[in-house]
Amino acid sequence: MTDAATMTEPLLHIEQLGKRFGGFIALDGVDLSVPKGQRLGLIGPNGSGKSTLVNCICGTLQNETGSVTFDGIKVDGMVAHQRTRQGLARSFQLPRPFRSMTVAENVRVPLLYTVNARSHPHLSESELDDRCMELLKLVTLDAKAAKYTTDLTQVEMRKLELARAMAAEPKLLIADESMAGLSHSEVEDIVALLIRMNERGVTIIMIEHIMRAVMTFSQRLVVLVSGKKIADGDPQDVIQNKEVVGAYLGQ
Amino acid sequence: MEFDLLINAIIAGLMLGGFYAAVTAGISISFGMLDIVNIAHPGFIILGSYIAYIVNVHFGVDPILIAIVALPAFYALGSIIYQVYYQSFEKHGQDSLRGLAFFFGLLFVTEVALNLVFGVDYRTVEVPYIGGSLSIGAMEFPVRMLVPCLVSVAMFGGLILFMSRTFIGRAVMAVSQDPQALQLMAVDPIRIKRIAFSISIATASMAGAFLITIQPVIPSSGREYIGRVFAICVLGGLGSLPGTLIAAFMIGVIESITSTFYGPSWAPAVSFGLLLLTLAVRPSGLFGR
Amino acid sequence: MRTPAFILILTAVAAALYFAFSYVGNDYLFFAGYTVLQYIVLATAWNILGGYCGYVNFGSAGFFAIGVYTTVFLYTVGQQIEDLVPEFMLAPMQLIFPLPLPVMIMVAGVVAGFIGLGMGYLTLRLRGVFFAIATLALTVVLETFIVNWSFVGGSRGAYVIPPNEVPIFGHFINFLFVLMLVLVILALTTARLIERSKLGVGFATIRDDELAAEASGVPTLRLKLVATVVSGALMGMAGAPFPFYIGYVEPASAFNLSYAVNSIAMPMIGGTTSWIGPLVGALLLGTLQQVATVTISSAVNLLIVGLLLIFFVIIAPRGIVGLVQDQLRKRSKT
């Protein structure tokens, strides 16, 4: 699977990505290539640069050195919404719903601003509604469509994050710690959901601390420590890698 | 001749800058360190001026002395305002819109209330040294400028020492930079913020006394300081007291030179223009990272 | 309700108001009514950026004054056309000048819109707080320029003499009143259109969470610029007829802080999430101030505005409209 996939042109290609905050080096020359359709796990201790990497890929932050190529296009210098329109969606570590809107209205936003910005003719009102319900069904939130986000539980909030990201019809989805603080069964719920999304043809990078989830989900595992990639490959091999074990035990 | 003019403009500007430092100290703490956009601060400064005026008129006490006596009252006022602000806005998360409107309302109410009590006439204080002036060669040091400047710089130095040397001061710095460290120190961030905010309002008492020593005051005098203090604060880099001090001197000198050579009516635009420019080009301030 | 129907209803209400005032035949009604209408435009305009996008503009007085001084400038050009224009250009220029007031209003809208665009471009990339502070600064910079610009009167001020009579309307104040009614219709329709369009959804995402908005594909900077331009242009237009209303303009009256305070307080008190809020707030506060100015001093009524603002942001964050909505919801539940 991995071998066959790497033969084709990668969906996401990162070269020598660097970013610093003042004197603090957050990313120190990271290389990463993700083929289409892959489920990639990204792990690393707190402060290892995972979030910065996500932010640099998605355009929330701009990288200082190196480059990000997505789907054959250099996206350096593009701001976040342009990258979303290219097919690069993300969920946030702490859910960031639009609080003045209902669950369905939240999911409508990317349909209006990303899907409609790409496709002509635009989706009609009824098509928009259908898409919303379809997405909410996918994450099993359809019963809550008319609720405001303040009425949602933690796990529902995470699902909404993912549904909203999926509404942008991404080629690549980056799920930034979608499971922190959730119960055992809720974690399994979300992992299953992400795998379902992947089966629809979406490439997924999952950033996670919960190793059980990472091992179930990932076809490939990448470890980041102090802004550097220290391991990359088959999940089983990677977690036995000495350097990785050291980084985690040392923490 | 031209050169003398320039030298005296710079000296006047430095003294003005010293005074600006006191005016900005409060904002530098509340906005720079606590992220509370207290645009009402100039209003409290004018309140300080009027308190100094009232006591001075009745008892002839030196305004700066009055301000020192009034410090606890301003500190208490700060505590109350912070409590209201925290309960109504900060606790519920990031609703900066209403918080800003709240302070804007406070600014306005203070001004209008002073207007109702004292009217729109210029008020001034009587102090023996007010007309005096020291001169060294061609250099002139009007005492009414010199005294506030020196006391102000002393106060500012005290604040810097307080923030860097005391436990509470360091906790305040931690509130702005590293909330986690605060938890490790086992202190209540709300208490720290309240103390810091109260201190910031207390500085308004001093700044108000300086202001009325330097020039006559009307209730709306505060307005011209709104942009100026934020300009200095942003220029100096948010949360940096030494940066603020340097920026205060800079703005003082630039304004003084502008009004000497182009006329005083252009002076207000200088700091505001600089503020717009800083925000556009380098929002982290001249001395920020 | 569709937009044409909405405009029709507004026009009908406006016409009814005009004829009712004319029937009473008291000029004071028109003078007082003009001020209230002007506040409706200012509050609605402020709310497009402040209420919909969550970006606080303290510089309403500045934008208002841009409108005021655009008119003063164009009027002065019209007055001194012989001295300003070379001889061969005089004939064509005299065809254009003096400009009719509606044209001046449009020019004022364009100028204020452009200044909004420029300022927005400089500061809207930053946190909202910096934008708010920059708007404070803008007002002072503009006022300083006007004070030093003698062509438009400088600190002395300028006289703008309205004609005594105009065709159809009779008294000039009637004409000004109708112009302001048109601006009110324009402002309310614009606000309502935005609210119900994709643009309104985009604005709301900016207010709720800008990072999430960008991640959902919303071009936040462009939308904020649109809001600033529309809001600024409407404020400028509200200010444009003012010189004719008051007859003599000085910087202190054009840049009066009460415009800034009222245009924030009115939406905050009425409610910021829909076009009804600023309308309610402006009608209420505007009328209250007109009454209070006659009965008590103007300082007292400004104090009341300030206190109401503080009271509402603390006690009723969603304004009067929000309070009413809550009441209705309670009633429908029982």
Side-chain angles (χ1 to χ4, degrees):
Chain A
M1 161 78 206
T2 326
D3 284 344
T6 40
M7 297 291 283
T8 61
E9 191 189 317
L11 180 64
L12 177 72
H13 184 71
I14 296 168
E15 247 178 51
Q16 285 300 309
L17 205 65
K19 176 81 188 173
R20 51 170 71 215
F21 299 105
F24 176 71
I25 300 165
L27 289 179
D28 190 3
V30 175
D31 292 305
L32 183 66
S33 223
V34 185
K36 275 199 180 83
Q38 193 168 56
R39 296 199 303 264
L40 179 87
L42 176 63
I43 62 170
N46 279 331
S48 59
K50 298 186 304 284
S51 286
T52 310
L53 180 61
V54 174
N55 287 334
C56 284
I57 296 173
C58 295
T60 309
L61 294 172
Q62 296 289 344
N63 48 298
E64 277 149 12
T65 56
S67 70
V68 180
T69 311
F70 179 72
D71 205 16
I73 296 167
K74 263 209 170 166
V75 293
D76 303 298
M78 279 191 190
V79 292
H81 75 267
Q82 290 167 323
R83 300 192 194 193
T84 307
R85 289 176 177 188
Q86 293 291 326
L88 224 169
R90 71 174 295 183
S91 70
F92 287 94
Q93 190 175 342
L94 295 169
R96 311 184 75 120
F98 302 123
R99 288 176 199 283
S100 68
M101 301 179 191
T102 65
V103 169
E105 284 167 347
N106 263 273
V107 179
R108 255 176 108 95
V109 172
L111 290 175
L112 279 175
Y113 273 96
T114 304
V115 178
N116 268 357
R118 273 197 298 245
S119 70
H120 288 275
H122 291 339
L123 298 172
S124 70
E125 281 296 308
S126 65
E127 281 172 316
L128 282 171
D129 290 338
D130 292 348
R131 287 281 183 99
C132 275
M133 282 320 280
E134 195 186 313
L135 284 158
L136 290 178
K137 272 198 190 106
L138 176 75
V139 299
T140 61
L141 276 183
D142 41 326
K144 305 261 176 177
K147 287 260 188 274
Y148 280 89
T149 56
T150 35
D151 299 330
L152 296 185
T153 63
Q154 261 303 310
V155 65
E156 286 169 341
M157 208 83 110
R158 305 299 175 101
K159 286 178 175 174
L160 176 60
E161 278 288 313
L162 292 173
R164 198 176 60 190
M166 281 297 283
E169 295 181 357
K171 296 179 185 123
L172 173 69
L173 170 69
I174 303 180
D176 192 357
E177 296 195 31
S178 302
M179 299 164 218
L182 298 187
S183 77
H184 194 97
S185 63
E186 287 168 340
V187 166
E188 280 177 2
D189 207 15
I190 300 271
V191 171
L193 175 62
L194 286 173
I195 292 178
R196 274 209 303 284
M197 289 174 171
N198 176 250
E199 281 162 359
R200 293 180 152 213
V202 182
T203 311
I204 298 180
I205 297 179
M206 182 173 98
I207 292 144
E208 202 45 78
H209 276 302
I210 304 170
M211 282 315 284
R212 191 165 28 78
V214 174
M215 296 311 283
T216 323
F217 174 82
S218 311
Q219 295 166 332
R220 173 182 164 199
L221 192 57
V222 170
V223 185
L224 215 58
V225 172
S226 309
K228 281 191 179 124
K229 188 167 89 171
I230 62 161
D232 181 353
D234 182 79
Q236 292 299 335
D237 298 343
V238 165
I239 54 162
Q240 276 155 29
N241 178 314
K242 263 191 193 149
E243 227 181 316
V244 175
V245 174
Y248 270 88
L249 288 181
Q251 198 197 356
Chain B
M1 191 59 199
E2 191 80 336
F3 183 71
D4 282 355
L5 211 57
L6 182 66
I7 290 289
N8 277 317
I10 291 174
I11 288 169
L14 285 174
M15 288 189 288
L16 197 62
F19 160 64
Y20 285 169
V23 177
T24 316
I27 293 278
S28 190
I29 295 171
S30 58
F31 178 47
M33 297 176 187
L34 311 176
D35 209 16
I36 300 172
V37 192
N38 176 17
I39 51 173
H41 195 77
F44 298 125
I45 292 174
I46 305 301
L47 186 67
S49 292
Y50 275 92
I51 289 172
Y53 160 74
I54 276 283
V55 181
N56 177 269
V57 162
H58 288 289
F59 307 102
V61 188
D62 186 289
I64 295 172
L65 203 63
I66 299 166
I68 294 172
V69 175
L71 278 176
F74 273 76
Y75 184 91
L77 178 68
S79 293
I80 295 167
I81 292 171
Y82 180 75
Q83 207 55 36
V84 174
Y85 176 79
Y86 173 73
Q87 292 293 342
S88 317
F89 311 108
E90 205 172 58
K91 203 165 72 178
H92 309 296
Q94 14 160 292
D95 196 352
S96 57
L97 177 77
R98 291 196 299 130
L100 271 175
F102 168 71
F103 282 116
F104 191 61
L106 276 184
L107 170 70
F108 194 66
V109 165
T110 315
E111 180 183 322
V112 179
L114 286 174
N115 228 331
L116 283 171
V117 179
F118 295 100
V120 290
D121 301 328
Y122 279 97
R123 306 288 174 168
T124 182
V125 285
E126 298 289 333
V127 204
Y129 53 72
I130 236 167
S133 137
L134 297 173
S135 47
I136 303 169
M139 295 183 286
E140 285 273 342
F141 297 89
V143 184
R144 70 187 311 167
M145 298 285 294
L146 193 60
V147 170
C149 170
L150 293 178
V151 184
S152 166
V153 172
M155 177 181 95
F156 210 93
L159 272 179
I160 293 178
L161 280 181
F162 175 79
M163 288 296 172
S164 56
R165 296 290 166 80
T166 66
F167 178 77
I168 290 178
R170 275 187 230 149
V172 173
M173 298 300 274
V175 162
S176 65
Q177 285 157 6
D178 189 359
Q180 269 185 344
L182 210 60
Q183 279 173 1
L184 295 176
M185 291 158 83
V187 285
D188 173 13
I190 306 306
R191 192 176 77 94
I192 294 301
K193 287 182 106 175
R194 187 172 55 237
I195 292 173
F197 190 80
S198 306
I199 292 173
S200 85
I201 298 295
T203 64
S205 169
M206 301 297 291
F210 299 153
L211 175 63
I212 201 162
T213 310
I214 291 174
Q215 64 173 63
V217 169
I218 52 172
S220 62
S221 297
R223 278 186 225 161
E224 46 190 283
Y225 289 92
I226 303 174
R228 197 174 274 142
V229 291
F230 280 103
I232 294 168
C233 195
V234 172
L235 213 62
L238 290 184
S240 158
L241 286 175
T244 304
L245 187 61
I246 297 170
F249 282 122
M250 270 178 51
I251 294 266
V253 170
I254 296 173
E255 272 187 13
S256 169
I257 290 176
T258 311
S259 67
T260 306
F261 291 98
Y262 301 95
S265 61
W266 282 105
V270 172
S271 58
F272 286 99
L274 269 176
L275 171 63
L276 285 179
L277 203 70
T278 317
L279 286 178
V281 181
R282 201 175 153 75
S284 57
L286 289 180
F287 312 105
R289 286 191 302 199
Chain C
M1 201 194 309
R2 296 190 152 276
T3 305
F6 181 75
I7 296 176
L8 218 62
I9 290 177
L10 281 186
T11 313
V13 173
L17 194 69
Y18 178 77
F19 287 117
F21 278 20
S22 301
Y23 182 75
V24 177
N26 185 344
D27 266 3
Y28 173 74
L29 268 184
F30 283 107
F31 275 104
Y34 175 93
T35 308
V36 178
L37 293 179
Q38 172 184 287
Y39 276 130
I40 297 179
V41 180
L42 279 176
T44 307
W46 183 89
N47 202 46
I48 288 174
L49 184 64
Y52 298 170
C53 297
Y55 273 73
V56 181
N57 179 359
F58 289 119
S60 308
F63 285 98
F64 180 84
I66 291 169
V68 172
Y69 275 96
T70 304
T71 299
V72 172
F73 175 79
L74 293 174
Y75 174 84
T76 314
V77 169
Q79 294 291 303
Q80 306 178 7
I81 194 86
E82 279 99 357
D83 309 329
L84 292 170
V85 184
E87 196 121 357
F88 69 97
M89 287 284 288
L90 198 56
M93 288 310 261
Q94 271 173 332
L95 281 179
I96 305 171
F97 286 97
L99 286 172
L101 183 51
V103 176
M104 291 190 190
I105 294 177
M106 278 183 251
V107 176
V110 172
V111 175
F114 265 107
I115 292 182
L117 182 68
M119 199 186 60
Y121 194 78
L122 287 180
T123 56
L124 281 172
R125 265 172 268 241
L126 306 170
R127 279 168 51 212
V129 167
F130 287 113
F131 173 77
I133 297 167
T135 57
L136 277 174
L138 177 83
T139 313
V140 178
V141 171
L142 285 174
E143 189 171 353
T144 308
F145 274 104
I146 294 294
V147 163
N148 287 287
W149 190 13
S150 60
F151 184 75
V152 293
S155 56
R156 289 176 290 107
Y159 286 93
V160 172
I161 296 143
N164 276 330
E165 297 282 321
V166 272
I168 308 169
F169 299 102
H171 289 302
F172 195 74
I173 182 66
N174 294 27
F175 176 56
L176 285 178
F177 186 79
V178 170
L179 279 179
M180 208 35 102
L181 275 175
V182 173
L183 286 181
V184 167
I185 295 174
L186 176 71
L188 290 179
T189 310
T190 309
R192 188 169 170 277
L193 264 177
I194 288 174
E195 231 172 276
R196 299 170 157 240
S197 67
K198 179 179 161 182
L199 201 58
V201 175
F203 285 178
T205 64
I206 291 171
R207 180 187 57 209
D208 285 355
D209 193 319
E210 252 180 276
L211 271 184
E214 275 282 326
S216 302
V218 180
T220 53
L221 179 61
R222 198 188 320 153
L223 259 53
K224 284 185 281 185
L225 287 175
V226 170
T228 315
V229 169
V230 172
S231 170
L234 283 171
M235 286 177 182
M237 289 164 92
F242 186 72
F244 285 99
Y245 173 79
I246 196 157
Y248 163 70
V249 199
E250 53 173 346
S253 66
F255 288 92
N256 201 317
L257 191 66
S258 71
Y259 295 117
V261 175
N262 273 304
S263 53
I264 293 171
M266 287 165 175
M268 285 285 185
I269 290 168
T272 53
T273 48
S274 89
W275 61 273
I276 304 171
L279 174 65
V280 170
L283 279 175
L284 222 69
L285 275 189
T287 314
L288 180 81
Q289 284 176 71
Q290 285 307 310
V291 175
T293 316
V294 185
T295 48
I296 15 173
S297 77
S298 63
V300 174
N301 83 53
L302 284 176
L303 185 66
I304 295 171
V305 174
L307 289 174
L308 276 176
L309 172 63
I310 294 175
F311 177 81
F312 266 87
V313 292
I314 293 175
I315 309 293
R318 290 170 56 235
I320 294 172
V321 171
L323 288 179
V324 173
Q325 279 171 349
D326 291 345
Q327 281 299 318
L328 291 179
R329 213 166 287 163
K330 255 184 225 161
R331 206 168 288 173
S332 69
K333 269 182 186 165
T334 50

